[in-house]
Amino acid sequence: MAVKPAFQVIVLGPNGGPREDKVTGLLVRSTSTNWSPGSVVAVDAGTLLAGIIRLIQEFMVKGRDKKGAMRAGPFAGLPLPFETAEANAAHVFREIIGAVLITHPHLDHISGLAINTPILEAGSGPKPVAALPSALSAIKNHLFNDVIWPNLSDEDGGAGLLTYQRLVEGGNPRFGSGEARGYVRACNGIVTKCLSVSHGHCMQRFNPATGRHHRADSTVFASDQLMLPPRNLSLENVEAGFYSPVRTPLNIQPAPKEPLMARVESSAFFLRDDKTGKEIIIFGDVEPDSVSLDPHNKRVWRTAAPKVASGTLQAIFIECSYNDSVDDAYLYGHLCPRHLIAELKVLAAQVMEQRDRTAERKRKREQDSKGELSLEEVSPRTKRMQKSRTNSVAVASREYRTQRAASGSWSKSAPPEVMIQIEDLEDPDPDQWADAIPLPLHDFSVYIIHIKEYLTDGPPPGDRIISELRAHAKEANLGCEFFLPDPAEPIWL
């Protein structure tokens, strides 16, 4: 008997530009809610209303049933109260979409939100816009600010069509219980938890005390007198490290200073179905840990691994903007196939470790139930993984921490969960799980979004990206499958 899917996902905007009509925007609903009011959550809104109109127009020609519901397409089963695609799309935005989650405030992820929001004044109340504080600060101060666009929020005397919901990074432990602890309501039937990731670095840093962004060399983030100002830093200085001392007195070592560059914060949203406990992850734009000055992805994979191992998490939506011909220096905080596979190898290693821990606990329970002495058994695979790193960890850890501290990417005062460990740097060896049955990411689906279009003759850029991903994944013994979402085809998970 086939298992009913927990989620339906509609990828309104699968691309990362330069076309403005198909940039990032996704709709997610729990299949248990049957298109009831507030049962859909939008994740990013580069494309929103325009994408909904396009899909309703495409499939309205196939007619509606006796209750007025669409017969075909991504919105099949959705009752349409109006005659035109435009009016029905407005109804979806006002009444069916319960909230909008924003991964980060770049225009290709929020432009539809700005342009579409005025039609909410005919709705039933303000639309929640949920994101990390840094993202909402940028939207509030630089978009809905009565300069770039009218203040349509319910803060600072605005029109009140939107209401900001500031999320707690890593989840709010005051909400939920058990496996859902830390998750907050996204829409009817779905809860969410947001983890921060890096989308590269720039000169703007978010100051939680003021709720604003400032240049890293401003008076808010004063740089040390022994530091060169940004205008004196060459590109080589920036790539190699943050600091370039003018002069340092002999025998005096300056204390660690704030870096001249700041991380561009993006997000990974864990979405959990209330009824089944199934989950998916939707990433905003994200750079690989291997080139990041502030690696954060390993924390997402560590959180995801137990869910993958148990089968509750079977799919992610993640960007892969370019193919492998693009050099690291020109990725601009994005992924390409070689780096996405490297990230998935980290997830795979975490999944295998989780399997080993689960198997060990099971063995101990069986021994205890038989009255036998429980031994600290370790699986052969875990022994191989431990042996491969034991001899070099101490030396490599010291060297790495010295190098990273000198470059300013973190200081000794950084929280432990953010400070990277030496094992996080290692490129996992796929041979460790080559004989695993099943492979670590078996039945795991990876949906590729945010592909950059070249607008030239020839094959679509996504074709080459998918081909490279599949070749790398086979070599890495991952076992996962890769897909290019088509807005006209709903995704059932």
Side-chain angles (χ1 to χ4, degrees):
M1 182 178 178
V3 178
K4 181 181 178 180
F7 294 100
Q8 179 188 357
V9 182
I10 304 172
V11 181
L12 299 173
N15 299 331
R19 286 178 52 173
E20 73 278 14
D21 60 333
K22 290 187 177 182
V23 288
T24 309
L26 300 89
L27 302 180
V28 185
R29 73 179 181 98
S30 168
T31 57
S32 65
T33 57
N34 297 319
W35 296 109
S36 59
S39 65
V40 171
V41 62
V43 183
D44 282 334
T47 297
L48 188 55
L49 196 57
I52 298 171
I53 292 173
R54 182 168 55 241
L55 291 176
I56 292 179
Q57 282 178 333
E58 182 175 349
F59 290 97
M60 273 186 71
V61 296
K62 297 188 177 181
R64 291 181 265 185
D65 62 22
K66 294 180 180 179
K67 296 181 180 180
M70 293 192 70
R71 295 182 184 276
F75 293 104
L78 170 65
L80 300 179
F82 302 103
E83 294 301 319
T84 66
E86 289 79 5
N88 285 313
H91 166 73
V92 170
F93 184 34
R94 291 188 189 113
E95 306 300 335
I96 307 301
I97 295 177
V100 181
L101 308 181
I102 299 297
T103 61
H104 65 291
H106 285 171
L107 278 177
D108 56 330
H109 296 255
I110 64 170
S111 56
L113 178 66
I115 300 298
N116 298 165
T117 295
I119 70 165
L120 292 175
E121 61 188 359
S124 57
K127 187 74 64 184
V129 177
L132 294 175
S134 63
L136 290 182
S137 166
I139 292 171
K140 174 180 177 177
N141 294 313
H142 302 294
L143 182 62
F144 293 111
N145 63 355
D146 287 329
V147 179
I148 300 300
W149 199 248
N151 179 10
L152 302 178
S153 78
D154 58 359
E155 298 185 8
D156 300 327
L161 304 184
L162 300 173
T163 185
Y164 298 132
Q165 181 181 354
R166 293 165 177 85
L167 299 176
V168 176
E169 198 282 329
N172 190 334
R174 293 179 176 85
F175 295 99
S177 61
E179 293 297 323
R181 188 171 184 82
Y183 289 69
V184 297
R185 184 68 51 196
C187 65
N188 293 338
I190 296 177
V191 291
T192 188
K193 180 170 70 174
C194 182
L195 269 65
S196 173
V197 296
S198 177
H199 180 24
H201 56 282
C202 68
M203 292 299 297
Q204 295 284 340
R205 186 178 306 135
F206 175 66
N207 183 358
T210 64
R212 291 180 175 271
H213 292 78
H214 301 273
R215 291 187 65 82
D217 63 334
S218 70
T219 56
V220 177
F221 298 101
S223 54
D224 186 79
Q225 62 178 350
L226 298 180
M227 308 291 290
L228 283 175
R231 61 181 177 272
N232 292 337
L233 287 176
S234 69
L235 289 177
E236 289 74 21
N237 292 135
V238 174
E239 291 295 328
F242 291 127
Y243 300 131
S244 180
V246 177
R247 57 186 179 276
T248 303
L250 293 176
N251 301 322
I252 297 179
Q253 295 298 323
K257 303 299 179 182
E258 289 285 351
L260 295 180
M261 303 289 279
R263 176 169 62 96
V264 179
E265 188 172 44
S266 185
S267 311
F269 282 104
F270 285 71
L271 298 175
R272 180 182 179 89
D273 176 53
D274 269 345
K275 185 175 181 180
T276 65
K278 296 290 187 180
E279 298 193 36
I280 61 174
I281 306 175
I282 299 179
F283 284 80
D285 295 353
V286 55
E287 69 174 347
D289 273 355
S290 60
V291 302
S292 177
L293 295 172
D294 194 2
H296 274 62
N297 298 339
K298 181 65 176 288
R299 186 159 161 254
V300 177
W301 303 133
R302 187 180 293 116
T303 303
K307 304 175 188 293
V308 176
S310 67
T312 59
L313 173 62
Q314 295 181 321
I316 62 172
F317 293 77
I318 191 168
E319 68 127 300
C320 193
S321 297
Y322 304 101
N323 63 52
D324 275 339
S325 68
V326 177
D327 186 80
D328 287 355
Y330 299 100
L331 290 175
Y332 303 114
H334 293 292
L335 294 173
C336 63
R338 64 180 178 275
H339 285 305
L340 177 51
I341 294 299
E343 294 292 334
L344 292 175
K345 285 164 63 178
V346 175
L347 173 60
Q350 292 282 333
V351 170
M352 295 308 299
E353 290 183 14
Q354 182 66 34
R355 286 187 190 174
D356 287 339
R357 286 192 290 269
T358 300
E360 184 176 351
R361 287 194 296 267
K362 182 178 179 181
R363 286 194 298 270
K364 288 183 178 181
R365 285 196 301 268
E366 291 175 348
Q367 290 171 340
D368 289 341
S369 66
K370 296 177 182 178
E372 299 176 0
L373 178 65
S374 294
L375 301 176
E376 292 296 327
E377 297 183 7
V378 179
S379 70
R381 183 179 295 107
T382 300
K383 290 180 180 178
R384 292 197 302 269
M385 295 175 71
Q386 292 174 343
K387 183 178 179 180
S388 67
R389 68 167 71 109
T390 298
N391 295 332
S392 60
V393 165
V395 174
S397 180
R398 287 195 298 270
E399 293 178 350
Y400 171 70
R401 291 176 184 278
T402 301
Q403 178 183 7
R404 299 293 284 193
S407 70
S409 62
W410 53 261
S411 68
K412 292 182 180 179
S413 61
E417 64 270 17
V418 174
M419 291 179 68
I420 211 80
Q421 301 297 318
I422 184 61
E423 56 264 28
D424 296 344
L425 297 175
E426 296 180 346
D427 186 18
D429 181 6
D431 289 341
Q432 295 173 354
W433 57 74
D435 58 347
I437 300 176
L439 290 174
L441 300 184
H442 175 71
D443 279 343
F444 190 74
S445 299
V446 181
Y447 292 88
I448 302 303
I449 55 177
H450 204 271
I451 291 174
K452 296 286 187 179
E453 296 181 291
Y454 297 122
L455 303 185
T456 58
D457 292 335
D463 290 355
R464 177 171 175 180
I465 289 173
I466 284 291
S467 176
E468 291 176 348
L469 283 169
R470 289 171 177 165
H472 290 322
K474 183 176 181 180
E475 183 178 353
N477 302 315
L478 294 179
C480 57
E481 296 185 60
F482 297 90
F483 302 94
L484 291 177
D486 180 350
E489 298 179 1
I491 298 169
W492 304 95
L493 299 166

